[in-house]
Amino acid sequence: MVAATMALQPGTANALSSDVVISAVYGGGGNAQAVLKNDYIELANTTDHPIDVSAWSVQYASAAGAVFQMTNLTGSIPAHGRYLVQEAAGASGTLALPTPDAIGSIPMSATSGVVALVTAQIPLVGCGISCATAPNVKDLVGYGATANVETAAAPGLTNATANARTGALIDTDNNAADFTAGVPKATNSAGTTVTADDSGGPGDPTPGTVRIHDIQGTGRISPIVGQNVTNVPGIVTAVRVTGNARGFWFQDPSADADALTSEGMFVFMGSTSPAVAIGDSVLVSGRVTEFRPAAGAQSLTELGGTITTTKLSSGNALPAAVPVALPDAYTKSGSLEAQPLEPSSYVLDWLEIHEGMRVTIAQDTRLVSPVNTEFSELWVTLKPGQNPTPRGGSIYNSYDDPNSGRLMIVALNGAPAANVGSTLAAGTTGPVDYQSFGGYVVQATQLGTITEGGLKRQKVLPSKKKHDLSVATYNVENLTATDPDTKFTRLAEAVVTNLGAPDILALEEIQDNNGTTDNGVVAADQTVAKFTAAIRAAGGPKYAWRSIDPNNDTDGGAPGGNIRQGFLFNPGRVTFVDRPGGDANTAVSVVRKHGAGNQISLSVSPGRINPTSDAWATSRKPLVGEFRYHGNQQLFVIANHFNSKGGDAPLSAAVQPPVRSTEVQRIKQATEVHNFVKDLSDKSGGRAQVIVLGDLNDYQFSPALQTLTGNGTVLKTLIDTLPADQRYSYIFDGNSQVLDHILISPAIKGYSYGVVHINAEFSDQASDHDPQIVRILTGCNGHRLPARCLPGSPVVNE
């Protein structure tokens, strides 16, 4: 019995198709009560360029059969276009398909069957019920009562229904999730569409029976998702004409009595610019879809598929904008889509019931992120007293407090550069949208006036003792030799002027010499040489450097970039202890010197911590170096760049609290570094001076940091020594937060520390991270420490 169950497991396609997919299948053509005369298979090109299919075929098999019939394709599919394959005709039906792009004679089942898109013109043979994984199969749809599917079958059909791919035509290799059954609608490569819906139809100036609030419903998911709707009325309130998510928002001026049903929604048109303007009264026909932009994200209810718009009039007054009034609590726990909306209690619920509707920010607000002028994005806070930083941001203190006052704005007509702490005047107005990175967002057709707040970049204070040792960390954001000189100049000036030319500088995101060109180059000597020359030109020291080239395409980051950590150091101030043998695959170890008490050294310097461990899969390996400074004191420095948080569910996720899937690997990485530092401590009798620093991609309160520090027993997290409202080095989703860290071992007694805010809060950035610096203070290793050695000694000039 078990064997039989295993044999019926469905196949998974060879790869998710990212260019051409099967977009619709219909087998009831010409049957009793059918409107369309022919069966059809529709394909879609999801790319920005035409794709030649002249050597491809579509193939069909019955639900239980293993014999495929084939129709050869010709020509190409236009960019973001459709391609229509006409199959067998029946005796009934009244409506012909649009001019087909290919013609076959396959009689498809009206209820259950299998359709494959094949990049060859050879019939599929012998693949049984696993044809999704057969050679040359680009996409496969099994519908109805068949086991020959991608993961699970698409809905079974009738003479009056076709299966159509939902949303933005994304292929997830799950037929059940990717397809919904509805009224047959076929489109050819010329863009001509024929629909079997006989309830009026596009072009008819009579509004249909379905309204926007009927589509939105009283929950997060439309009650009629997957259905085609005809002539839905509304007034165009905003238009997006750039990118691959073009379209428009429209809103019904005649609201129903239910406050939980939104009166607005987005009409998705892909790369086609809509031929409508704000104030147009329109009737819109299309398919109701739920677009989920990223794993774990909520979905956006929209009209998609083949869109037909009938304009009735222009220059109409827009529906009144609703003032934004966010509740105190951000969200509740559990699956939000399974729970009733409570807009008076939760921010995410308030935004959901206004999805697609015009809202307005009725008061002056403060920018808690800089304006991203490339995408015209900014974040403001509607609760100015909520966890403010001294410089105008909103501090992110814990997983339980995501700062419910934050709101993202995208200015559809552009936004001027401005920094954190600037003021956005009242009046920003536009529809509520949901996008992948920012969650809910106001797509502003009108942006209030921004008044700059006068934020200044920080500098470190001059050193008070010439023998103090300064060590800094700086993520230089994918620096490569091919970057413009202006980037090198900006970064170099920051090193010299803002950081005071630290004695040791750990760098993250140094790319190889040709950046993202993926041609096997891994060396970064040209990148570093250009950077050190720029520092010299800015008046800084002649830095030497040490690093280890990674194996090609193994350390994550931008493909082909081969990012790694590296040390710059001033040889006039410190000595790097070179020990040969360190390479991409050799693990550094701690060596106790025989007959020398607790004296230790590294087996190789520079070296990498356990680089073959699965903790570092497709991620950067820590770089360890041994230094000597004032009085031949020994210092071990470990530069890190843990794996990214990209892939975690957003703060506005559909399931709360959001799943932090990437945390598992960071905890493994933290364990590796913790064990190495503990080995340094144990073999030195607790005397080893160790600095662990870099972009750890996690918060000071995270499990990864607690693992790394041994809950504070092995390392001290210096960001925790700052006042709570100053603990940040990065801004994401309007939250000022900590990703970069400097940690020290207990053997380092006297120090001063600070984050130097020069990037994250500014619209004009040399990097998206702020650097940090620690000074080891001379004369601070005894039992009775002078005042300058006490924690809290300032290092940054405000």
Side-chain angles (χ1 to χ4, degrees):
M1 194 69 177
V2 173
T5 301
M6 293 294 290
L8 290 175
Q9 289 299 307
T12 300
N14 291 329
L16 300 177
S17 181
S18 59
D19 46 21
V20 178
V21 295
I22 299 169
S23 53
V25 294
Y26 174 60
N31 292 354
Q33 300 173 339
V35 174
L36 297 179
K37 296 179 178 179
N38 289 79
D39 301 341
Y40 68 83
I41 300 166
E42 184 190 274
L43 310 177
N45 176 1
T46 63
T47 73
D48 295 328
H49 54 82
I51 293 181
D52 183 1
V53 294
S54 58
W56 296 14
S57 63
V58 291
Q59 301 188 29
Y60 170 82
S62 65
V67 177
F68 279 83
Q69 302 174 70
M70 183 171 66
T71 300
N72 292 336
L73 307 184
T74 60
S76 62
I77 311 178
H80 295 284
R82 303 297 174 105
Y83 185 102
L84 184 62
V85 182
Q86 176 179 290
E87 297 295 356
S92 298
T94 59
L95 193 62
L97 294 172
T99 303
D101 300 294
I103 298 176
S105 58
I106 301 171
M108 298 167 57
S109 169
T111 57
S112 303
V114 183
V115 175
L117 173 61
V118 184
T119 58
Q121 295 181 347
I122 302 171
L124 295 171
V125 176
C127 53
I129 62 168
S130 300
C131 296
T133 58
N136 302 319
V137 173
K138 179 169 259 317
D139 195 16
L140 181 141
V141 179
Y143 62 97
T146 181
N148 202 349
V149 299
E150 291 179 352
T151 307
L157 300 177
T158 68
N159 293 342
T161 58
N163 270 320
R165 192 175 291 271
T166 59
L169 302 177
I170 295 173
D171 180 16
T172 71
D173 273 2
N174 185 333
N175 295 158
D178 290 348
F179 285 85
T180 55
V183 175
K185 181 182 290 187
T187 303
N188 63 13
S189 61
T192 304
T193 299
V194 167
T195 178
D197 186 350
D198 58 2
S199 62
D204 184 341
T206 304
T209 58
V210 176
R211 295 294 188 267
I212 293 174
H213 50 249
D214 298 323
I215 298 172
Q216 289 283 10
T218 58
R220 284 184 155 80
I221 304 299
S222 171
I224 57 172
V225 61
Q227 295 185 25
N228 290 315
V229 291
T230 303
N231 287 357
V232 180
I235 305 295
V236 176
T237 60
V239 181
R240 183 161 60 206
V241 295
T242 59
N244 289 324
R246 303 181 191 187
F248 61 92
W249 289 264
F250 74 132
Q251 184 169 334
D252 194 332
S254 301
D256 66 359
D258 193 337
L260 298 182
T261 58
S262 171
E263 301 295 340
M265 70 185 312
F266 182 64
V267 178
F268 175 78
M269 301 183 67
S271 61
T272 302
S273 293
V276 296
I278 293 175
D280 285 353
S281 175
V282 295
L283 302 176
V284 185
S285 301
R287 189 182 297 273
V288 178
T289 63
E290 291 288 343
F291 172 59
R292 199 176 301 277
Q298 295 190 53
S299 65
L300 175 68
T301 304
E302 61 184 21
L303 288 184
T306 301
I307 298 297
T308 303
T309 304
T310 301
K311 184 167 71 173
L312 303 179
S313 62
S314 301
N316 296 279
L318 302 185
V322 177
V324 177
L326 301 181
D328 290 335
Y330 187 66
T331 190
K332 50 202 163 190
S333 297
S335 173
L336 301 186
E337 293 170 0
Q339 301 182 58
L341 294 168
E342 301 176 79
S344 62
S345 299
Y346 300 105
V347 168
L348 295 186
D349 287 8
W350 191 95
L351 292 166
E352 173 62 26
I353 70 165
H354 295 95
E355 180 185 85
M357 292 178 61
R358 295 183 78 229
V359 298
T360 186
I361 301 174
Q363 75 264 34
D364 291 356
T365 55
R366 187 180 77 243
L367 269 65
V368 292
S369 78
V371 175
N372 182 327
T373 54
E374 180 180 0
F375 300 105
S376 299
E377 297 174 349
L378 59 146
W379 286 81
V380 298
T381 179
L382 278 71
K383 301 173 183 177
Q386 189 177 63
N387 300 321
T389 72
R391 294 167 59 84
S394 289
I395 202 77
Y396 184 49
N397 283 321
S398 73
Y399 296 123
D400 296 330
D401 186 8
N403 288 314
S404 61
R406 297 170 302 115
L407 184 63
M408 185 183 183
I409 297 167
V410 172
L412 291 172
N413 297 316
N419 302 327
V420 165
S422 300
T423 300
L424 176 67
T428 295
T429 303
V432 174
D433 191 24
Y434 188 90
Q435 63 173 26
S436 56
F437 297 112
Y440 291 99
V441 57
V442 176
Q443 299 281 356
T445 56
Q446 177 182 336
L447 185 69
T449 301
I450 297 179
T451 303
E452 180 59 62
L455 196 67
K456 302 296 183 184
R457 286 181 165 87
Q458 294 179 326
K459 299 179 182 179
V460 298
L461 294 167
S463 177
K464 295 180 180 179
K465 297 286 185 179
K466 70 176 183 178
H467 295 304
D468 291 350
L469 181 76
S470 56
V471 183
T473 177
Y474 197 0
N475 182 319
V476 290
E477 196 177 5
N478 292 317
L479 186 67
T480 179
T482 58
D483 281 335
D485 292 344
T486 51
K487 180 171 182 177
F488 283 91
T489 299
R490 287 280 307 279
L491 291 169
E493 289 174 346
V495 170
V496 176
T497 302
N498 301 92
L499 289 175
D503 302 318
I504 301 171
L505 177 60
L507 299 173
E508 299 86 53
E509 292 197 17
I510 293 290
Q511 288 193 347
D512 63 34
N513 292 329
N514 59 19
T516 55
T517 301
D518 195 0
N519 61 353
V521 170
V522 295
D525 54 324
Q526 296 172 23
T527 302
V528 179
K530 190 172 180 179
F531 191 24
T532 55
I535 292 172
R536 185 76 167 154
K542 187 176 181 180
Y543 280 113
W545 67 284
R546 297 291 187 275
S547 185
I548 292 178
D549 292 339
N551 294 314
N552 189 44
D553 289 343
T554 60
D555 282 18
N562 291 309
I563 61 173
R564 81 292 310 271
Q565 296 86 262
F567 295 122
L568 300 187
F569 61 94
N570 182 351
R573 297 272 299 164
V574 297
T575 300
F576 189 89
V577 180
D578 287 294
R579 290 194 176 87
D583 59 28
N585 303 309
T586 299
V588 62
S589 61
V590 181
V591 179
R592 178 184 283 144
K593 297 183 179 179
H594 294 292
N598 292 319
Q599 293 187 26
I600 59 173
S601 64
L602 300 178
S603 59
V604 295
S605 179
R608 292 174 125 193
I609 294 177
N610 201 8
T612 58
S613 167
D614 64 358
W616 311 113
T618 64
S619 185
R620 286 71 56 179
K621 287 72 176 173
L623 183 71
V624 186
E626 183 178 338
F627 293 85
R628 299 280 176 168
Y629 69 105
H630 175 59
N632 203 34
Q633 295 186 65
Q634 189 180 43
L635 176 68
F636 300 96
V637 183
I638 304 175
N640 302 272
H641 190 180
F642 285 3
N643 72 300
S644 167
K645 295 178 76 67
D648 287 358
L651 290 179
S652 58
V655 176
Q656 294 288 334
V659 176
R660 305 189 300 271
S661 58
T662 64
E663 184 176 80
V664 175
Q665 186 176 8
R666 279 193 301 282
I667 291 174
K668 288 184 179 179
Q669 295 175 342
T671 300
E672 293 280 1
V673 178
H674 167 271
N675 291 345
F676 187 83
V677 174
K678 191 172 187 304
D679 198 27
L680 286 168
S681 178
D682 291 347
K683 289 180 178 175
S684 69
R687 297 179 183 179
Q689 293 191 22
V690 184
I691 296 179
V692 174
L693 75 178
D695 180 359
L696 301 183
N697 266 316
D698 222 333
Y699 314 121
Q700 70 275 24
F701 48 79
S702 68
L705 263 292
Q706 301 311 308
T707 300
L708 176 59
T709 65
N711 291 316
T713 61
V714 174
L715 290 166
K716 182 175 186 176
T717 306
L718 293 188
I719 196 78
D720 286 336
T721 66
L722 299 180
D725 61 358
Q726 297 178 31
R727 298 173 187 172
Y728 64 96
S729 63
Y730 189 81
I731 295 177
F732 182 73
D733 280 6
N735 276 327
S736 296
Q737 56 193 244
V738 182
L739 295 182
D740 310 271
H741 291 270
I742 297 181
L743 308 99
I744 60 174
S745 65
I748 298 175
K749 302 296 184 183
Y751 62 87
S752 60
Y753 161 80
V755 180
V756 187
H757 297 301
I758 58 174
N759 286 319
E761 299 168 312
F762 295 88
S763 188
D764 177 23
Q765 301 177 342
S767 167
D768 50 351
H769 292 250
D770 285 331
Q772 300 184 24
I773 190 167
V774 63
R775 285 187 184 143
I776 300 177
L777 306 177
T778 58
C780 294
N781 291 318
H783 294 291
R784 301 182 66 180
L785 303 179
R788 71 184 298 267
C789 299
L790 299 177
S793 176
V795 69
V796 176
N797 182 5
E798 293 291 342

